[in-house]
Amino acid sequence: MGTIPTRLSTYCLTRRTLVLGSLAAFVTACGTTEPPTPPPAASTPPQASAAPSASAAPQSSSGAQGSTSPKPSTAPSAAAGAQSSVAPTAVAKTGGSLTIRQWTGDPPDLDPFLNVTFRAQEFAGFFYSRLLKFDTGPSVQPNSFIPTPDLAESYQISQDGLTYTFKLRANAKWQNKAPLNGRPVTADDVIYSFERFRKVSPQKGNFDMVKEVKAPDQQTVVFTLNAVFAPFETAIASPLLWIMPKEVIEADGDARKRVIGSGPFIFDRFEKGVQVVAKRNPDYYFAGTPYIDEITLLVVPEDATAVAGLRAKSIDILGLSSSDRIAVAASDPNIKLLEYPQNQLYFMYWRLDAPPFNDIRVRQAFSLALDRDEMIGVLWEGTGYPNSALPAGLRSYYLDPRGADMGPNAKYFKRDVNAAKKLLADAGFAGGLKVPLIASLNAYGNTFNQSVELVIKQLKDAGITADLRPQDYSAYISSTFLGKFEPGTMVWGLETPYQEPHDYLFNMYHPKGGRNHGGVNDAKLTEMIEKQAVTLDKAARKSQIQDIQRYLGEQQHYVMGVAGNTVIATQPWVKNFFYETDYGRGGEYVPKLFLDGKK
Amino acid sequence: MQRYILRRLLLTIPSLLGVTLLVSAMVRLLPGDAVALMLQDYNSYAKDAEDLRAQLGLNRPFHEQYLGWIGGIARGDLGRSLRDQTPIRDELATRLPVTFELGLFGMFVGLLIAIPLGVYSAVRQDTLSDYLARSGAIAMLAIPGFWFATLAITLPSLWFRWSPPLRYTRPTEDLGKNLGQMLIPALILGIGLSGSLMRLTRAQMLEVLRQDYIRTSRAKGLNERATIFGHALRNAIIPVVTLLGLQMTVLIGGAVVLESIFVLPGMGRYLLEALNNRDYPVVQAIVLIFAAVIIGVNLIIDLMYAWLDPRIRYS
């Protein structure tokens, strides 16, 4: 089992030192040139890049595509060696075609504002820009979710944290297709997109914190918030607020028929149930990228078919399940495997307002009964991480629940059956406890189903009998997952992956959270969650978030399991592969890829 | 004959209405709905759900939703997908030919295996060849198509670093390539179909071969080929043709699985996705089409009886 040590890139530290010395209050973080590793064949002007400071507001950030700080303060263990396993080569080559198994089913809609499914957002990532996106590069591990400038060349946060001013790139142009015909992307386009998002998107609630958006000039967009919201940069970088083509939408009513963006690729065609094909955008504002002329995003429903395609060299990039990982590693040594900690929470939940789970001792007993090492061994082939209230994949904020930093509450994450029995006895369950266990067994795959069996077995050792009641996924997601289940029942489930700790903490633990499965209403915790949400100082906020994890380690409102590694397979000719996991990754890691040696 | 056809066609209307009503109700009885699944796909907040339900008309009573959809059908409009808002008719126009081709190809393969094998097995009753053929038929019935399909996908990729094409080619683009792509799934579909057809062919042939008129034809000195194919098979085939009509459901079920494994963008995949997404109008439309096809094929088969056996009259 790996640990997650702290790591900062040397380059980042150097830049930060220099900038700190010269700018005093305006602290900017590390920047890059574009591209981060091999320089492109076409020259790209190196641009300074900066990101919010670790200490003070106002903050500013600017940069070209590439790594931007703040760097994650934690990085995965060697076991999850991630990006280093696909080290860049010296010279980027242009041309070629790349095939990715992107989906198991069609993106349902080509207009990302009109549909909430992840496939629509993944589709959009290849063609549309965002003001910010998430950084990728050799020093950035997947799941870091570091906001970095995209369409915005730089941005500044006001002293009071209420105003975010984005400066757009002067060279940003719409793709050269009618009716846009390569005209510049302006602040009006951003405002139009934001207003349309708020009007038509089922996700419009994600920007409730925005009071108004203005354009003082055609290169500047100013967002004013109702109240300070520390994760606002992440909200802007999240694959939601795409900059959409006004002319197309006004003519067609939506962006379903014509896809014209300012992103790295130009839409060529969508053959339903088969593929999306895209060509390189030669006018992309990160000059020189993308390197690849044509990409094909395949729709392949079955994993077995996709793995066969990988072996037959018909697929260049493919996500693998744990079992396929072993099979591919054994039979295809040339295929490279990128592994990194999952941004996923396997966890146990219940109604906190009724017995027996309104008793903290019972909840702690359940946590003590779990053998997380056995889970890692059985479910994840020995490579995995115990989750705290945040998943190990969210490395920038994650606190190892069994590490020294966790403090005395680390003991609740280490198996101690006798202590569990004693706590149960103290709570009035000396003879053991029998509880119904809801789990959806037709949604999350074999590993999850095995975890259910393991949980039942481990609880049994502590005198807890879990009476399994499998639930169809659709029923589960529309009832149990929303907290609609009988008090006294426990649930073993999987949480929605988020890019921001706030989203996990607010949604799961705040009384107003959309994923408050157990009805958590803990005044102290609520205050802690609200405080971190308004703390702009990133170091202070990180400390607060880790305090929350320590507090939750004791409270055990939900009992957390373990996370394994996600595995992405690439053919040996795929170079500069620096992956990120958010749905907008098509505009993040793909433009930096190039091919070397593909026949 | 015309009155018979007209009567059968009129009877299809209540049948289809019944099927759609039943399916519309049953699919809504399934737990969850399209909105719950769509929102789960993304990091959305629960408060957006009711807005989306209202936008999609899912907050209306069942009878309103159903009657609205049936009204659309009467106007030739199959409705729109809840998930992507695209017209279902457009989607079916591209997907129906794929499933039709796979089904036809599979049926052809099934008949090509079943009829000769059934006849051969009957003619060589109780010989080693008969035992082998019957065992083969049992195996065809017992082994599920998805297992064959998974092997057909996985083993060549391990042994030869080859896999069937992952991109579907339409026959209008490249007929050879298209047929090559359809060959393996059609073989698997046909093999699955052939087990029961072969067994019935054999059983019918055995019965017919014992009839007096067969003995007479042989006594007249008619050669064996003419006796078997000219007299016996034609009389034995009617129940087989009936079974073929009933096997349409097997073909459709097989297509659902095989289209997913072999990446064929047909109706089966569309139905599977729609069911998983609780996309009610799509499920209803596809079931309506499948029901119409099954009814239509069985009507055609009923009409074929008269051609196969001139003694049959329709009134």
Side-chain angles (χ1 to χ4, degrees):
Chain A
M1 187 190 66
T3 55
I4 301 190
T6 300
R7 193 166 82 185
L8 269 168
S9 79
T10 310
Y11 181 61
C12 179
L13 283 169
T14 310
R15 284 284 301 178
R16 180 170 290 171
T17 307
L18 291 170
V19 174
L20 277 170
S22 60
L23 289 183
F26 287 83
V27 184
T28 58
C30 81
T32 65
T33 56
E34 161 58 23
T37 39
S43 65
T44 306
Q47 297 176 42
S49 174
S53 82
S55 60
Q59 304 162 352
S60 66
S61 175
S62 65
Q65 185 178 19
S67 63
T68 307
S69 72
K71 294 295 170 197
S73 59
T74 56
S77 66
Q83 312 285 30
S84 59
S85 67
V86 278
T89 55
V91 181
K93 295 183 176 181
T94 55
S97 62
L98 179 85
T99 302
I100 305 172
R101 189 266 192 122
Q102 187 73 25
W103 299 292
T104 55
D106 284 328
D109 203 316
L110 302 190
D111 188 333
F113 283 10
L114 299 182
N115 207 292
V116 294
T117 67
F118 71 95
R119 290 175 191 155
Q121 312 307 322
E122 285 189 347
F123 171 86
F126 290 88
F127 307 106
Y128 297 111
S129 304
R130 288 165 277 174
L131 287 172
L132 305 180
K133 61 183 178 181
F134 294 115
D135 198 8
T136 59
S139 62
V140 182
Q141 302 293 336
N143 284 331
S144 294
F145 304 123
I146 302 166
T148 191
D150 184 16
L151 185 63
E153 190 169 41
S154 63
Y155 63 101
Q156 194 167 47
I157 309 168
S158 68
Q159 193 80 41
D160 60 6
L162 289 172
T163 307
Y164 287 70
T165 304
F166 296 89
K167 283 281 177 194
L168 305 188
R169 292 180 191 278
N171 65 339
K173 292 192 288 187
W174 291 98
Q175 292 160 3
N176 193 15
K177 291 168 91 172
L180 281 303
N181 298 318
R183 73 162 174 81
V185 183
T186 65
D188 283 344
D189 292 317
V190 177
I191 290 177
Y192 175 79
S193 299
F194 183 78
E195 286 174 352
R196 179 171 182 262
F197 181 88
R198 273 198 155 174
K199 190 175 167 192
V200 303
S201 172
Q203 310 256 32
K204 53 182 174 284
N206 286 29
F207 284 101
D208 278 352
M209 79 293 275
V210 176
K211 186 178 172 188
E212 62 177 5
V213 186
K214 286 186 174 172
D217 60 63
Q218 283 308 307
Q219 293 302 115
T220 310
V221 183
V222 181
F223 284 74
T224 307
L225 309 189
N226 291 311
V228 173
F229 185 64
F232 186 67
E233 290 155 276
T234 303
I236 287 287
S238 293
L240 278 177
L241 185 55
W242 306 103
I243 308 308
M244 306 291 291
K246 182 179 177 182
E247 289 91 327
V248 168
I249 293 160
E250 286 187 342
D252 299 352
D254 53 47
R256 285 182 165 126
K257 298 177 208 68
R258 291 188 284 175
V259 180
I260 306 171
S262 51
F265 293 97
I266 298 175
F267 177 77
D268 183 59
R269 64 186 186 278
F270 172 31
E271 297 166 33
K272 282 203 166 186
V274 181
Q275 61 186 349
V276 169
V277 180
K279 310 277 187 193
R280 175 178 180 269
N281 176 9
D283 301 321
Y284 190 39
Y285 40 81
F286 290 115
T289 63
Y291 299 120
I292 292 166
D293 284 342
E294 182 178 286
I295 56 166
T296 301
L297 310 174
L298 286 183
V299 181
V300 183
E302 298 296 325
D303 286 349
T305 314
V307 170
L310 181 76
R311 288 190 170 125
K313 301 178 174 39
S314 305
I315 291 177
D316 296 313
I317 298 175
L318 171 67
L320 293 178
S321 67
S322 304
S323 52
D324 284 337
R325 175 206 171 278
I326 296 168
V328 167
S331 63
D332 305 84
N334 291 329
I335 290 173
K336 293 178 183 294
L337 300 176
L338 166 68
E339 301 187 39
Y340 55 89
Q342 287 181 325
N343 179 23
Q344 263 188 344
L345 286 179
Y346 286 74
F347 72 119
M348 195 183 285
Y349 60 98
W350 34 57
R351 297 296 309 176
L352 285 156
D353 50 5
F357 301 111
N358 56 355
D359 188 329
I360 187 172
R361 291 169 298 185
V362 173
R363 303 195 300 267
Q364 288 169 342
F366 272 68
S367 186
L368 285 163
L370 292 189
D371 185 344
R372 292 170 174 84
D373 290 324
E374 187 185 34
M375 285 183 171
I376 289 167
V378 171
L379 304 175
W380 303 109
E381 321 296 335
T383 305
Y385 316 88
N387 282 328
S388 66
L390 297 178
L394 211 57
R395 60 193 75 236
S396 305
Y397 298 91
Y398 166 74
L399 189 64
D400 181 353
R402 298 195 295 200
D405 281 353
M406 190 67 180
N409 298 332
K411 65 177 182 239
Y412 296 115
F413 294 86
K414 297 169 186 168
R415 190 174 214 218
D416 188 339
V417 172
N418 290 331
K421 285 181 175 171
K422 184 174 182 310
L423 281 168
L424 284 177
D426 292 347
F429 300 102
L433 183 60
K434 185 173 180 180
V435 288
L437 164 63
I438 294 175
S440 181
L441 302 180
N442 66 336
Y444 303 126
N446 284 341
T447 306
F448 178 83
N449 296 351
Q450 287 168 1
S451 75
V452 176
E453 292 175 33
L454 213 49
V455 164
I456 292 171
K457 171 191 157 280
Q458 293 176 356
L459 292 178
K460 186 88 178 168
D461 296 343
I464 301 163
T465 305
D467 177 18
L468 180 61
R469 297 183 183 175
Q471 196 169 35
D472 172 74
Y473 176 69
S474 302
Y476 170 79
I477 212 68
S478 56
S479 59
T480 304
F481 194 68
L482 299 178
K484 298 173 191 166
F485 56 92
E486 286 297 311
T489 303
M490 61 174 279
V491 186
W492 183 248
L494 195 58
E495 188 51 86
T496 308
Y498 296 102
Q499 286 107 41
E500 237 295 326
H502 172 81
D503 289 332
Y504 280 105
L505 299 175
F506 183 86
N507 280 318
M508 294 175 73
Y509 296 99
H510 193 281
K512 293 179 182 171
R515 299 276 195 270
N516 190 343
H517 318 282
V520 181
N521 192 353
D522 177 332
K524 182 179 176 188
L525 179 60
T526 301
E527 188 186 339
M528 292 170 91
I529 292 169
E530 288 176 350
K531 191 176 174 191
Q532 62 77 31
V534 298
T535 303
L536 290 172
D537 183 305
K538 291 192 183 299
R541 180 167 177 250
K542 179 178 172 179
S543 171
Q544 291 167 1
I545 288 169
Q546 296 200 330
D547 283 344
I548 293 174
Q549 292 174 75
R550 288 185 194 99
Y551 177 73
L552 286 170
E554 183 190 15
Q555 292 299 315
Q556 296 291 335
H557 290 317
Y558 306 126
V559 170
M560 298 297 166
V562 300
N565 275 348
T566 298
V567 184
I568 311 287
T570 57
Q571 299 289 358
W573 49 77
V574 176
K575 307 294 181 186
N576 243 23
F577 180 66
F578 305 120
Y579 196 67
E580 186 49 287
T581 64
D582 69 282
Y583 301 146
R585 59 187 176 271
E588 291 162 359
Y589 84 94
V590 180
K592 296 176 181 175
L593 293 176
F594 67 92
L595 306 174
D596 189 7
K598 184 177 182 182
K599 291 170 187 168
Chain B
M1 179 81 157
Q2 283 172 341
R3 287 186 62 187
Y4 173 80
I5 294 172
L6 189 65
R7 197 169 69 239
R8 286 287 300 269
L9 286 175
L10 286 173
L11 277 173
T12 60
I13 295 171
S15 301
L16 291 176
L17 278 175
V19 166
T20 57
L21 185 60
L22 198 66
V23 168
S24 302
M26 285 177 71
V27 79
R28 283 170 174 80
L29 286 177
L30 290 171
D33 69 4
V35 170
L37 293 165
M38 284 158 74
L39 291 178
Q40 172 54 19
D41 267 357
Y42 204 78
N43 309 342
S44 178
Y45 296 92
K47 66 186 173 186
D48 298 325
E50 286 314 310
D51 285 354
L52 195 51
R53 271 192 193 96
Q55 274 180 36
L56 297 173
L58 290 174
N59 55 352
R60 292 185 299 155
F62 167 67
H63 69 274
E64 276 186 31
Q65 292 182 44
Y66 179 73
L67 290 175
W69 182 75
I70 282 291
I73 298 289
R75 296 189 302 273
D77 178 8
L78 289 170
R80 285 174 180 268
S81 158
L82 292 178
R83 201 161 174 88
D84 61 17
Q85 291 300 303
T86 53
I88 296 167
R89 187 179 49 196
D90 295 355
E91 194 68 32
L92 292 182
T94 62
R95 291 183 182 259
L96 197 57
V98 179
T99 305
F100 185 71
E101 184 188 0
L102 177 63
L104 210 62
F105 205 168
M107 194 185 285
F108 177 72
V109 170
L111 288 172
L112 208 63
I113 296 170
I115 304 293
L117 212 58
V119 171
Y120 182 80
S121 194
V123 171
R124 301 285 176 100
Q125 188 189 7
D126 295 334
T127 63
L128 180 64
S129 319
D130 180 30
Y131 291 136
L132 284 175
R134 285 158 65 191
S135 302
I138 295 289
M140 290 170 201
L141 279 171
I143 298 173
F146 68 82
W147 185 79
F148 263 135
T150 308
L151 287 189
I153 286 278
T154 304
L155 294 181
S157 78
L158 273 171
W159 295 337
F160 314 116
R161 296 289 182 258
W162 178 88
S163 76
L166 299 175
R167 296 168 216 202
Y168 174 70
T169 306
R170 296 197 174 275
T172 46
E173 292 170 49
D174 186 336
L175 183 61
K177 207 169 172 180
N178 170 269
L179 291 177
Q181 194 166 15
M182 285 287 184
L183 183 64
I184 297 176
L187 270 174
I188 293 167
L189 200 57
I191 286 170
L193 197 66
S194 62
S196 50
L197 289 175
M198 179 268 168
R199 285 171 62 81
L200 188 64
T201 306
R202 179 182 177 276
Q204 289 300 309
M205 281 295 290
L206 283 175
E207 195 180 323
V208 172
L209 286 171
R210 288 181 175 81
Q211 297 293 314
D212 289 345
Y213 62 88
I214 297 294
R215 196 183 311 123
T216 306
S217 69
R218 282 175 173 154
K220 280 192 336 189
L222 198 67
N223 71 46
E224 192 64 10
R225 180 184 293 265
T227 304
I228 289 169
F229 292 103
H231 295 281
L233 181 60
R234 187 159 180 184
N235 282 296
I237 205 77
I238 289 181
V240 178
V241 171
T242 306
L243 180 65
L244 191 62
L246 298 174
Q247 292 280 60
M248 283 304 296
T249 51
V250 177
L251 272 177
I252 289 167
V256 170
V257 175
L258 293 174
E259 284 175 6
S260 288
I261 296 177
F262 289 93
V263 207
L264 301 172
M267 298 268 284
R269 248 173 86 184
Y270 194 32
L271 176 62
L272 198 63
E273 284 172 19
L275 276 170
N276 285 336
N277 298 329
R278 304 289 191 267
D279 201 337
Y280 308 138
V282 175
V283 175
Q284 290 162 202
I286 296 175
V287 170
L288 176 69
I289 303 278
F290 280 158
V293 168
I294 289 168
I295 291 171
V297 166
N298 280 285
L299 175 60
I300 292 167
I301 282 170
D302 286 353
L303 297 176
M304 279 174 66
Y305 291 161
W307 173 71
L308 288 166
D309 186 347
R311 292 171 301 178
I312 294 173
R313 293 280 183 274
Y314 298 100
S315 58

PDB file of all heavy atoms in Angstrom, chain A residues 471-485:
ATOM      1  N   GLN A 471     -30.183  -3.576  -4.508  1.00  0.00           N
ATOM      2  CA  GLN A 471     -31.161  -2.633  -5.069  1.00  0.00           C
ATOM      3  C   GLN A 471     -30.760  -2.295  -6.503  1.00  0.00           C
ATOM      4  O   GLN A 471     -29.577  -2.025  -6.765  1.00  0.00           O
ATOM      5  CB  GLN A 471     -31.189  -1.366  -4.206  1.00  0.00           C
ATOM      6  CG  GLN A 471     -32.403  -0.503  -4.438  1.00  0.00           C
ATOM      7  CD  GLN A 471     -32.522   0.588  -3.376  1.00  0.00           C
ATOM      8  OE1 GLN A 471     -31.534   1.120  -2.891  1.00  0.00           O
ATOM      9  NE2 GLN A 471     -33.748   0.937  -3.028  1.00  0.00           N
ATOM     10  N   ASP A 472     -31.737  -2.288  -7.387  1.00  0.00           N
ATOM     11  CA  ASP A 472     -31.482  -1.887  -8.773  1.00  0.00           C
ATOM     12  C   ASP A 472     -30.916  -0.469  -8.790  1.00  0.00           C
ATOM     13  O   ASP A 472     -31.340   0.390  -8.018  1.00  0.00           O
ATOM     14  CB  ASP A 472     -32.785  -1.944  -9.574  1.00  0.00           C
ATOM     15  CG  ASP A 472     -32.614  -1.345 -10.948  1.00  0.00           C
ATOM     16  OD1 ASP A 472     -31.991  -1.991 -11.787  1.00  0.00           O
ATOM     17  OD2 ASP A 472     -33.086  -0.203 -11.163  1.00  0.00           O
ATOM     18  N   TYR A 473     -29.968  -0.244  -9.692  1.00  0.00           N
ATOM     19  CA  TYR A 473     -29.261   1.033  -9.708  1.00  0.00           C
ATOM     20  C   TYR A 473     -30.194   2.237  -9.844  1.00  0.00           C
ATOM     21  O   TYR A 473     -30.038   3.235  -9.145  1.00  0.00           O
ATOM     22  CB  TYR A 473     -28.237   1.056 -10.846  1.00  0.00           C
ATOM     23  CG  TYR A 473     -27.533   2.388 -10.974  1.00  0.00           C
ATOM     24  CD1 TYR A 473     -26.648   2.814  -9.998  1.00  0.00           C
ATOM     25  CD2 TYR A 473     -27.773   3.226 -12.053  1.00  0.00           C
ATOM     26  CE1 TYR A 473     -26.007   4.035 -10.090  1.00  0.00           C
ATOM     27  CE2 TYR A 473     -27.141   4.446 -12.162  1.00  0.00           C
ATOM     28  CZ  TYR A 473     -26.257   4.842 -11.176  1.00  0.00           C
ATOM     29  OH  TYR A 473     -25.646   6.061 -11.279  1.00  0.00           O
ATOM     30  N   SER A 474     -31.153   2.125 -10.751  1.00  0.00           N
ATOM     31  CA  SER A 474     -32.040   3.271 -10.962  1.00  0.00           C
ATOM     32  C   SER A 474     -32.839   3.573  -9.711  1.00  0.00           C
ATOM     33  O   SER A 474     -33.048   4.741  -9.358  1.00  0.00           O
ATOM     34  CB  SER A 474     -32.987   2.997 -12.121  1.00  0.00           C
ATOM     35  OG  SER A 474     -32.243   2.728 -13.265  1.00  0.00           O
ATOM     36  N   ALA A 475     -33.273   2.509  -9.029  1.00  0.00           N
ATOM     37  CA  ALA A 475     -34.006   2.716  -7.779  1.00  0.00           C
ATOM     38  C   ALA A 475     -33.066   3.300  -6.734  1.00  0.00           C
ATOM     39  O   ALA A 475     -33.416   4.230  -6.002  1.00  0.00           O
ATOM     40  CB  ALA A 475     -34.576   1.398  -7.291  1.00  0.00           C
ATOM     41  N   TYR A 476     -31.863   2.771  -6.716  1.00  0.00           N
ATOM     42  CA  TYR A 476     -30.877   3.215  -5.725  1.00  0.00           C
ATOM     43  C   TYR A 476     -30.582   4.713  -5.892  1.00  0.00           C
ATOM     44  O   TYR A 476     -30.613   5.473  -4.931  1.00  0.00           O
ATOM     45  CB  TYR A 476     -29.599   2.383  -5.894  1.00  0.00           C
ATOM     46  CG  TYR A 476     -28.430   2.904  -5.101  1.00  0.00           C
ATOM     47  CD1 TYR A 476     -28.325   2.659  -3.736  1.00  0.00           C
ATOM     48  CD2 TYR A 476     -27.433   3.662  -5.714  1.00  0.00           C
ATOM     49  CE1 TYR A 476     -27.253   3.160  -3.008  1.00  0.00           C
ATOM     50  CE2 TYR A 476     -26.363   4.165  -4.996  1.00  0.00           C
ATOM     51  CZ  TYR A 476     -26.280   3.912  -3.641  1.00  0.00           C
ATOM     52  OH  TYR A 476     -25.231   4.417  -2.915  1.00  0.00           O
ATOM     53  N   ILE A 477     -30.335   5.082  -7.136  1.00  0.00           N
ATOM     54  CA  ILE A 477     -29.855   6.440  -7.377  1.00  0.00           C
ATOM     55  C   ILE A 477     -30.965   7.467  -7.171  1.00  0.00           C
ATOM     56  O   ILE A 477     -30.708   8.630  -6.886  1.00  0.00           O
ATOM     57  CB  ILE A 477     -29.232   6.534  -8.789  1.00  0.00           C
ATOM     58  CG1 ILE A 477     -28.102   7.556  -8.801  1.00  0.00           C
ATOM     59  CG2 ILE A 477     -30.225   6.847  -9.871  1.00  0.00           C
ATOM     60  CD1 ILE A 477     -26.916   7.149  -8.022  1.00  0.00           C
ATOM     61  N   SER A 478     -32.202   7.022  -7.327  1.00  0.00           N
ATOM     62  CA  SER A 478     -33.294   7.983  -7.186  1.00  0.00           C
ATOM     63  C   SER A 478     -33.951   7.904  -5.809  1.00  0.00           C
ATOM     64  O   SER A 478     -34.897   8.637  -5.554  1.00  0.00           O
ATOM     65  CB  SER A 478     -34.334   7.754  -8.286  1.00  0.00           C
ATOM     66  OG  SER A 478     -34.786   6.426  -8.247  1.00  0.00           O
ATOM     67  N   SER A 479     -33.495   7.035  -4.952  1.00  0.00           N
ATOM     68  CA  SER A 479     -34.085   6.979  -3.609  1.00  0.00           C
ATOM     69  C   SER A 479     -33.001   6.900  -2.537  1.00  0.00           C
ATOM     70  O   SER A 479     -32.692   7.904  -1.886  1.00  0.00           O
ATOM     71  CB  SER A 479     -35.045   5.792  -3.499  1.00  0.00           C
ATOM     72  OG  SER A 479     -34.368   4.580  -3.766  1.00  0.00           O
ATOM     73  N   THR A 480     -32.364   5.760  -2.426  1.00  0.00           N
ATOM     74  CA  THR A 480     -31.376   5.557  -1.356  1.00  0.00           C
ATOM     75  C   THR A 480     -30.274   6.607  -1.407  1.00  0.00           C
ATOM     76  O   THR A 480     -29.923   7.216  -0.392  1.00  0.00           O
ATOM     77  CB  THR A 480     -30.767   4.141  -1.481  1.00  0.00           C
ATOM     78  OG1 THR A 480     -31.829   3.193  -1.458  1.00  0.00           O
ATOM     79  CG2 THR A 480     -29.802   3.859  -0.354  1.00  0.00           C
ATOM     80  N   PHE A 481     -29.735   6.822  -2.585  1.00  0.00           N
ATOM     81  CA  PHE A 481     -28.625   7.762  -2.740  1.00  0.00           C
ATOM     82  C   PHE A 481     -29.021   9.171  -2.314  1.00  0.00           C
ATOM     83  O   PHE A 481     -28.194   9.967  -1.884  1.00  0.00           O
ATOM     84  CB  PHE A 481     -28.168   7.741  -4.204  1.00  0.00           C
ATOM     85  CG  PHE A 481     -26.841   8.399  -4.451  1.00  0.00           C
ATOM     86  CD1 PHE A 481     -25.675   7.851  -3.959  1.00  0.00           C
ATOM     87  CD2 PHE A 481     -26.751   9.561  -5.199  1.00  0.00           C
ATOM     88  CE1 PHE A 481     -24.442   8.444  -4.189  1.00  0.00           C
ATOM     89  CE2 PHE A 481     -25.524  10.167  -5.448  1.00  0.00           C
ATOM     90  CZ  PHE A 481     -24.371   9.605  -4.937  1.00  0.00           C
ATOM     91  N   LEU A 482     -30.299   9.471  -2.444  1.00  0.00           N
ATOM     92  CA  LEU A 482     -30.781  10.799  -2.041  1.00  0.00           C
ATOM     93  C   LEU A 482     -31.215  10.806  -0.576  1.00  0.00           C
ATOM     94  O   LEU A 482     -31.833  11.765  -0.109  1.00  0.00           O
ATOM     95  CB  LEU A 482     -31.950  11.226  -2.934  1.00  0.00           C
ATOM     96  CG  LEU A 482     -31.634  11.340  -4.425  1.00  0.00           C
ATOM     97  CD1 LEU A 482     -32.886  11.729  -5.202  1.00  0.00           C
ATOM     98  CD2 LEU A 482     -30.528  12.359  -4.685  1.00  0.00           C
ATOM     99  N   GLY A 483     -30.909   9.755   0.148  1.00  0.00           N
ATOM    100  CA  GLY A 483     -31.222   9.716   1.581  1.00  0.00           C
ATOM    101  C   GLY A 483     -32.597   9.169   1.894  1.00  0.00           C
ATOM    102  O   GLY A 483     -33.038   9.221   3.044  1.00  0.00           O
ATOM    103  N   LYS A 484     -33.267   8.647   0.865  1.00  0.00           N
ATOM    104  CA  LYS A 484     -34.613   8.111   1.098  1.00  0.00           C
ATOM    105  C   LYS A 484     -34.523   6.609   1.351  1.00  0.00           C
ATOM    106  O   LYS A 484     -34.619   5.809   0.401  1.00  0.00           O
ATOM    107  CB  LYS A 484     -35.504   8.402  -0.113  1.00  0.00           C
ATOM    108  CG  LYS A 484     -35.705   9.883  -0.382  1.00  0.00           C
ATOM    109  CD  LYS A 484     -36.451  10.082  -1.689  1.00  0.00           C
ATOM    110  CE  LYS A 484     -36.447  11.531  -2.123  1.00  0.00           C
ATOM    111  NZ  LYS A 484     -36.873  11.697  -3.514  1.00  0.00           N
ATOM    112  N   PHE A 485     -34.294   6.247   2.600  1.00  0.00           N
ATOM    113  CA  PHE A 485     -34.287   4.840   2.982  1.00  0.00           C
ATOM    114  C   PHE A 485     -34.610   4.740   4.466  1.00  0.00           C
ATOM    115  O   PHE A 485     -34.597   5.742   5.182  1.00  0.00           O
ATOM    116  CB  PHE A 485     -32.946   4.175   2.641  1.00  0.00           C
ATOM    117  CG  PHE A 485     -31.740   4.839   3.253  1.00  0.00           C
ATOM    118  CD1 PHE A 485     -31.237   4.422   4.485  1.00  0.00           C
ATOM    119  CD2 PHE A 485     -31.098   5.883   2.605  1.00  0.00           C
ATOM    120  CE1 PHE A 485     -30.123   5.019   5.039  1.00  0.00           C
ATOM    121  CE2 PHE A 485     -29.979   6.497   3.161  1.00  0.00           C
ATOM    122  CZ  PHE A 485     -29.493   6.074   4.385  1.00  0.00           C
TER     123      PHE A 485
END
